[in-house]
Amino acid sequence: MKKTFIIAASFFYISSFAQKQDTLQLKNIESVTINGKKKLLLERKADRLIFNVEASVASQGMDGAETLANVPMLKVDDNLGNISITGKSSVNVMVNGRMLNLSGANLINYLKTIRSENIAKIEVITTPPQNMKPRETVD
């Protein structure tokens, strides 16, 4: 979502004419438009790294797997169907707060169906809290 800020301002111009008498001229500008975009691409918190996809021009027009590959600390291998975090061998993926029960090529194929324009942010959580870890079943 683009945010537009409109600032109305008046500017004073002082000009002198060939070392003669200085004159003060007042010129009014009716409006000034300043377009801004959130520039914070990476945010570091105690337990996670947040990659703001909306602020990344390089991530626009990609699918979810390609977007993940642009995130620091993440490595995506399309050939092996593998996503890894630096220093960690197993990775769990959550979308909109729900754990995906997909892995390998199925996970990569699913991520390829998501457009980067539909991804607000990617959080890389290196030490997830207990309630985020998938439950293991014991037979």
Side-chain angles (χ1 to χ4, degrees), residues 75-84 102-109:
K75 183 178 177 186
V76 178
D77 186 344
D78 283 344
N79 297 328
L80 297 175
N82 195 15
I83 300 173
S84 60
L102 299 172
S103 61
N106 291 332
L107 176 59
I108 297 294
N109 289 335

Side-chain angles (χ1 to χ4, degrees), residues 5 7 26 30 42 46 60 65-66 72 74 96 98 112 137:
F5 300 94
I7 300 173
L26 175 66
E30 290 187 24
L42 290 173
Q60 298 305 311
E66 293 170 322
L74 288 183
N96 294 334
R98 294 186 177 165
K112 286 183 178 186
T137 57

Side-chain angles (χ1 to χ4, degrees), residues 1 6 13 15 22 25 35 38 41 47 56 66 70 76 87 90 95 102 112 120 130:
M1 174 171 68
I6 299 174
Y13 292 95
S15 61
D22 289 343
Q25 294 180 345
N35 293 327
K38 188 176 181 180
L41 185 61
D47 64 339
S56 174
E66 293 170 322
N70 283 338
V76 178
S90 65
V95 174
L102 299 172
K112 286 183 178 186
Q130 282 297 94

